[in-house]
Amino acid sequence: MKAAKKKATMAVGMILGVTMLAGAAFASYTTMGGYEAGKTAFKGLADNENYTANSEIKLTVDGKEIAKASTEELYDRDGDVKLSRKDVSDSYVDYISPVGRSESETYVQDNTSISIYTNKDGKKASTVYDGKAYFRKGAFDILGDAGEKDKESSAKIIRFAELLCDTLVGDLKNNIVYVSGDDNTSTYEINLDAVQIPELANAGLEAMFTSVSRFDTDDPFMILGSSPIVKNASLRFSVDSQNRLTEGKANVTLSGSDASGENHEASVDIAVTMSDYGTTTPRRVDVSTLPNPRKYHVTSSEDGSYMISELVDEDGNVIGYTSDGDVEINEVND
């Protein structure tokens, strides 16, 4: 239940935060040609092949922190080492005592994907997947190398995103204000109160909270009831001279009532920094030092509908299989 609660709460936070970031990104960059320039900047994420990114998300209920997560990601789509990523998350019970910290590291190098994590018993372990069929792209590389392989489909996806944001953003672009800047950077911000929030946003929240309440009433955010509203939202961000995001901070505060009618507030805070575009070199991990490694060879099915992972020993002999790279079946000689 704790895991489900944490996943549901984090999902709420991620959805709200990403919605705010994406919406404002489309509606910004007024000093460089307005809305159309903003869409041009967003399209750049479809081919964002090299960068360093740090992000943090924090969730609070009635002013008390209940969970937070941070990520450091170095990405080079075309490098021998494509990705090195570290994730850290904390969750809390009764908003006071931490119930656990999870840390994991991910590396993609030499057509091999490596994960290092801590088991429930506190011991570190790792998994190694080799084979070109298994590839994790960067979080800020929307289409990855698939966009280069299928330009026609990519163009259609981007066009659909443009039209969708044209509809969702509407007049919100007029609320973006230029704060400061120089030849190398420009900073903007947007602040919205309850009456400025689109009805569509609150309708989406109500549908999401109603759905979550059916299977996870223990989620701390459910203290807002099934019909919360966005009380206020804000975003402050900076772009460089090439119209690329360098920093962003977003806040969304929700308001709602519990079963007794008492009012509560919950908020989502997201911070992102982007740097070293085109010059990032992800860190390499020494596979000989991996803790308790489990090695798999990954192949694709003939029709490409799924992947098969073969569990192999140190000599490369197949000793078992997995259905999806995580759930082990028919394993022998463990």
Side-chain angles (χ1 to χ4, degrees), residues 112-117 119 124-130 287 290-298 309-314 319-322 325-334:
T112 298
S113 179
I114 300 166
S115 297
I116 305 173
Y117 52 91
N119 284 320
K124 279 198 169 185
S126 59
T127 54
V128 180
Y129 300 92
D130 68 9
V287 295
L290 294 176
N292 301 311
R294 301 174 67 81
K295 299 181 180 180
Y296 301 88
H297 177 69
V298 183
S309 297
E310 303 169 335
L311 181 63
V312 298
D313 61 18
E314 293 182 356
I319 57 175
Y321 300 87
T322 69
D326 294 315
V327 180
E328 296 167 9
I329 56 175
N330 300 327
E331 185 178 333
V332 295
N333 299 328
D334 186 9

Side-chain angles (χ1 to χ4, degrees), residues 98-116:
V99 297
R101 160 174 287 221
S102 64
E103 296 187 22
S104 63
E105 298 176 53
T106 302
Y107 300 86
V108 176
Q109 60 188 49
D110 307 326
N111 293 318
T112 298
S113 179
I114 300 166
S115 297
I116 305 173

Side-chain angles (χ1 to χ4, degrees), residues 4-5 101 166 223:
K5 176 173 65 177
R101 160 174 287 221
D166 285 342
I223 199 172

Side-chain angles (χ1 to χ4, degrees), residues 91-212:
S91 58
Y92 304 81
V93 168
D94 296 328
Y95 321 137
I96 299 175
S97 302
V99 297
R101 160 174 287 221
S102 64
E103 296 187 22
S104 63
E105 298 176 53
T106 302
Y107 300 86
V108 176
Q109 60 188 49
D110 307 326
N111 293 318
T112 298
S113 179
I114 300 166
S115 297
I116 305 173
Y117 52 91
T118 302
N119 284 320
K120 293 180 180 180
D121 59 7
K123 295 181 180 179
K124 279 198 169 185
S126 59
T127 54
V128 180
Y129 300 92
D130 68 9
K132 293 183 179 180
Y134 197 90
F135 175 67
R136 295 179 181 177
K137 66 180 188 297
F140 295 89
D141 184 12
I142 294 178
L143 298 178
D145 58 359
E148 189 65 27
K149 295 176 182 177
D150 191 351
K151 293 185 177 180
E152 181 179 357
S153 295
S154 299
K156 291 179 180 179
I157 292 172
I158 292 172
R159 179 56 179 162
F160 172 75
E162 286 187 72
L163 294 175
L164 178 63
C165 284
D166 285 342
T167 301
L168 296 178
V169 173
D171 292 334
L172 285 181
K173 59 179 175 288
N174 299 322
N175 295 85
I176 300 288
V177 296
Y178 175 78
V179 177
S180 62
D182 52 34
D183 291 340
N184 298 315
T185 185
S186 298
T187 300
Y188 306 82
E189 67 179 12
I190 178 173
N191 295 283
L192 303 174
D193 58 27
V195 298
Q196 295 172 301
I197 301 299
E199 183 178 355
L200 180 62
N202 287 323
L205 274 176
E206 183 173 356
M208 181 171 58
F209 271 71
T210 298
S211 176
V212 171

Side-chain angles (χ1 to χ4, degrees), residues 179-256:
V179 177
S180 62
D182 52 34
D183 291 340
N184 298 315
T185 185
S186 298
T187 300
Y188 306 82
E189 67 179 12
I190 178 173
N191 295 283
L192 303 174
D193 58 27
V195 298
Q196 295 172 301
I197 301 299
E199 183 178 355
L200 180 62
N202 287 323
L205 274 176
E206 183 173 356
M208 181 171 58
F209 271 71
T210 298
S211 176
V212 171
S213 67
R214 293 175 179 174
F215 64 87
D216 193 2
T217 56
D218 290 334
D219 190 309
F221 266 47
M222 296 314 300
I223 199 172
L224 302 176
S226 60
S227 302
I229 64 169
V230 179
K231 182 179 180 181
N232 52 61
S234 65
L235 175 72
R236 184 183 179 96
F237 60 96
S238 300
V239 296
D240 65 13
S241 59
Q242 297 184 51
N243 206 28
R244 300 175 300 193
L245 177 70
T246 57
E247 184 176 10
K249 293 183 178 181
N251 168 268
V252 179
T253 299
L254 309 180
S255 179

